[in-house]
Amino acid sequence: MNKCISEVLYSTNQENRRIWWESYVESNHYDLKNFFHEWLIYIPVPPSSQHTTGNPDSPGYYIEKWDWLANTESGLKLTAHDCDFRAWFVDFLNAHGEYVKTSVDLLPPSGQTAIESWYTFPGTEAHPFDINDYIKPPGGFASFNDFFLRKVKSGLRPVDSSDIVSPSDGGIFFLIDPRQENQRNLYDGVELPGKYNDQFTITDGFPYWEHFVGGAVLDILLWFTDYHHFFAPVTGTVVCMADYAGSYNYDFNNFNAKVPTAAAPPQESDRVGWYLKFAKHRRFVWIIQTPTMGLVAMSAIGFWGVGSIVTRDNGDGTWMTGARAVMPGDKVKKGDYLGHFGYGGSSIVLAFEKNRNIDFLVGSSPDHPRLIKAGGSIGNYDTR
C-alpha cells in the first residue's frame, strides 16, 4: 500500500490526486485503516463543490480516492496478484454493501441525513434527477439501499412502440459501430477513443459471441441518480442466461499507469476503464432469440464494487411487485422486468448480429452519450 501512495505523491501530472493524498498522509501517515473505516460506513451524498480532504463531496468519493491508488503500477500488481488482498477486498466491499442496507444514516456537514440530502438534489445536465418521480415509502426510505433501489411512479417509464427499447436509464452510446469500416470485424477487442490499450472484448463478454462479431455493440452507463432496475430490450425467447462472478477490480477515471503522461479525458466523459478486461466484472447475461433480428445479447455489469445483480425476488422488498423471474425458454416482451442492480456503479451492454439493418438512436461515443430512460426508443429494424 505504501508503494501505491508513494507513486501518487510523486506523480507529476495528476496534481489533484497528489494534493488529496498528501493531506491524508499528513494526518494519518501511511496508515490506511482510517480510510477504509470511513469508506466502510460511508452513506453516499450528492455531488457538491466542497473538495476538502476528508469531507465527502460525491457519492463515489472513497471509490475515486481508492482508484487513484489501485491504478498505480503497484496498485495494479496488488489487485491482480495478491490473493490475500483480493479476498480481503471482496469481503470489505460486501461488508460495505451490507452496511448501506442498515437503518444507519450519518449526518453530512449540511445537517441533513445522507438520504435527505438527495431529496433536495436538483440533478445536473449530465445526470438529471427529480425525487418526485419516485415512490417515497411512508416514513421515508429505511436505508440508503432502499433509496438506491427506489421504484418509479406509475406511467413514468412507458415502453415505446419501436423494435428496440432501452433496458434502463442512463447514457447510451456505441462501443462498436458497424457503420465505421475499421470496427466491422472486431471481436477480440475494440479500443475506445483516446484510450491506451483499453479494450472491450466480445469473446469474454458473451456466450454465443460468434453471432455478434461484426454487429453493433451498445453501452448504457448508469449513475447514482438513475433508476437501477432493468428490462427486456426486445421481444423474443430467452435461449440462454449466464451468471459470472467477476473479480471486483475496477477503474474510475482513466488513469493510465503505463503511460502516466497521457492526456486525461474530458471531465464530462462517460468513459471508464472497466472495459480493459470485461470478464473481471460481476455480470449477468441474457441471450434472446428475436423473430426478425436474430440473437440479441444483454449483459448487466456491476462495477464500482457491485456484487449483486438480482434476477429473482429474494423477499427483501426491492423486486418489482408482481413481476415474474424470467428463466431460459421463457418468452419475453420488450419492457418486461428482468431485475435490478445492488448498490454501486452499473452498466448494461447490448450486442446485435452482423448485417442486421437497424437504425439506432444512440450517442456516437462514450464522450457523447444520449440520455435515455428505461423503455425509451433506441432503435428500429428496417425490413426493406
Side-chain angles (χ1 to χ4, degrees), residues 125-373:
E125 184 177 353
H127 304 294
F129 179 72
D130 185 347
I131 190 62
N132 295 313
D133 290 347
Y134 298 93
I135 299 170
K136 185 178 177 182
F141 295 97
S143 68
F144 182 81
N145 190 66
D146 286 347
F147 166 76
F148 185 78
L149 293 173
R150 60 198 176 275
K151 297 172 182 176
V152 75
K153 291 179 179 177
S154 178
L156 292 184
R157 295 297 185 278
V159 179
D160 193 82
S161 61
S162 56
D163 297 320
I164 311 167
V165 299
S166 180
S168 70
D169 288 10
I172 187 168
F173 53 88
F174 278 108
L175 280 182
I176 299 177
D177 183 353
R179 298 171 302 177
Q180 306 298 322
E181 187 173 353
N182 63 342
Q183 295 187 17
R184 287 177 186 167
N185 295 305
L186 294 169
Y187 65 93
D188 195 35
V190 52
E191 286 206 15
L192 296 177
K195 298 286 285 177
Y196 173 81
N197 195 32
D198 194 0
Q199 296 183 332
F200 170 85
T201 55
I202 293 175
T203 52
D204 284 341
F206 301 109
Y208 295 81
W209 63 265
E210 63 274 11
H211 289 265
F212 307 113
V213 175
V217 180
L218 315 178
D219 187 23
I220 306 166
L221 287 176
L222 293 81
W223 202 62
F224 290 84
T225 52
D226 289 317
Y227 180 48
H228 272 70
H229 298 253
F230 45 76
F231 306 81
V234 293
T235 295
T237 301
V238 177
V239 297
C240 177
M241 294 170 60
D243 190 8
Y244 301 90
S247 69
Y248 286 78
N249 294 335
Y250 50 83
D251 180 29
F252 186 79
N253 62 350
N254 307 291
F255 176 59
N256 185 359
K258 295 181 179 179
V259 185
T261 57
Q267 183 65 33
E268 67 275 10
S269 172
D270 266 337
R271 286 181 280 173
V272 289
W274 62 266
Y275 301 100
L276 181 59
K277 269 298 179 184
F278 183 58
K280 72 188 179 185
H281 296 283
R282 180 80 167 85
R283 65 199 193 280
F284 200 100
V285 178
W286 296 260
I287 307 294
I288 302 173
Q289 178 70 56
T290 68
T292 57
M293 293 178 286
L295 295 178
V296 173
M298 170 173 156
S299 182
I301 305 123
F303 54 97
W304 291 359
V306 172
S308 175
I309 298 174
V310 178
T311 59
R312 62 184 61 204
D313 189 354
N314 56 20
D316 65 356
T318 58
W319 189 259
M320 178 173 284
T321 303
R324 60 173 179 140
V326 171
M327 301 296 290
D330 286 352
K331 296 185 182 299
V332 293
K333 295 185 296 183
K334 61 182 182 180
D336 280 357
Y337 188 67
L338 296 181
H340 65 75
F341 291 102
Y343 159 70
S346 318
S347 180
I348 293 180
V349 171
L350 302 177
F352 299 83
E353 290 190 359
K354 182 179 180 180
N355 296 328
R356 297 292 177 173
N357 194 15
I358 301 172
D359 295 322
F360 289 106
L361 299 171
V362 303
S364 59
S365 74
D367 287 333
H368 300 94
R370 175 185 171 230
L371 295 181
I372 190 72
K373 299 292 187 185

Side-chain angles (χ1 to χ4, degrees), residues 10 13 19 21 34 38 46 55 75 97 237 264 274 291 300 330 334 337 361 376:
Y10 289 102
N13 71 320
I19 291 173
W21 277 106
N34 284 342
E38 291 166 6
N55 186 10
T237 301
W274 62 266
D330 286 352
K334 61 182 182 180
Y337 188 67
L361 299 171

Side-chain angles (χ1 to χ4, degrees), residues 82-102:
D82 190 321
C83 295
D84 290 337
F85 175 79
R86 285 164 59 91
W88 175 85
F89 194 52
V90 170
D91 289 341
F92 170 80
L93 291 172
N94 286 338
H96 178 59
E98 289 302 312
Y99 186 82
V100 298
K101 294 178 183 178
T102 70

